[in-house]
Amino acid sequence: RPDVRGRRPERKGLPDLVIGVRPDLDLCVELKTAKGKLSVEQLVWLGVFGDRGAVCRSQGELMEFLEGHGVF
């Protein structure tokens, strides 16, 4: 992973998934467990993506997010 600590600190917090849907649409997804917490860096990345970013805690949430952006 490109955000492994110590290797590329400028990428710390990089979302688990960055999906290029089409040239004008990139999505980002941070995958977390039910109790998983976001780091400050992860919150910053999600803020950059706005409504094109999401925290998904289940496969169902991920599918819903992707479908909501026309991926399927």
Side-chain angles (χ1 to χ4, degrees), residues 45-69:
W45 275 101
L46 288 169
V48 168
F49 277 84
D51 69 342
R52 296 170 296 121
V55 177
C56 295
R57 298 178 185 278
S58 68
Q59 182 179 358
E61 284 184 6
L62 175 60
M63 297 303 289
E64 193 174 300
F65 174 70
L66 296 175
E67 287 172 0
H69 284 85

Side-chain angles (χ1 to χ4, degrees), residues 28-57:
C28 84
V29 179
E30 185 60 45
L31 302 172
K32 292 288 181 192
T33 64
K35 295 182 181 181
K37 297 180 181 180
L38 293 167
S39 69
V40 171
E41 294 85 2
Q42 290 169 330
L43 288 169
V44 169
W45 275 101
L46 288 169
V48 168
F49 277 84
D51 69 342
R52 296 170 296 121
V55 177
C56 295
R57 298 178 185 278

Side-chain angles (χ1 to χ4, degrees), residues 18-23 25-27:
V18 177
I19 305 163
V21 178
R22 25 178 221 273
L25 180 61
D26 294 321
L27 303 174

